Amino acid sequence: MTAEVRTPFVWNRPKTKVYDYNQQFGGAYYQPMIDYVDTKERQGIFFSKPAEKVHLPMPAELAIKKHESPELSGVTALDKALVRGFSQMTKEVNGAAVHTMNLMLRGSKENTSLHTKRTSTMVRDKYVKELHLIKARSLYAA
């Protein structure tokens, strides 16, 4: 009755891999549609539908075409987060500078605008900068 009890084995699904060739082939195939969607997004409500349809290349065309740019196309979520983070950081820094200049012009003696503790904004700014450094390192490492 002293049967050995084993712990259950939990299977972890392996991460998917996108090889360079697949990335280039798929990117070249969908690039006309990506350009169309980007144009539509940039023009907003003033977008006018083009007379001709978007031409997606045939597989034979893609096989003949040389793939010059192996890098990813489009804007990633990290890029958008970095832009949003830096714009918010700049807005807050400039707002604080303008507030301080207004206080100085008025001859104010209040010291309540000095922050002694790390605010959530300071913590967020630190992580936005670290994400930016990680992205820059990964671009230069490849």
Side-chain angles (χ1 to χ4, degrees), residues 19-25 27 67-73:
Y19 296 101
D20 289 338
Y21 175 76
N22 293 349
Q23 179 65 39
Q24 292 172 359
F25 192 83
H67 305 291
E68 293 93 21
S69 61
E71 62 222 37
L72 296 173
S73 63

Side-chain angles (χ1 to χ4, degrees), residues 9-17:
F9 175 73
V10 178
W11 180 73
N12 291 327
R13 182 181 193 144
K15 293 183 179 179
T16 60
K17 296 175 184 155

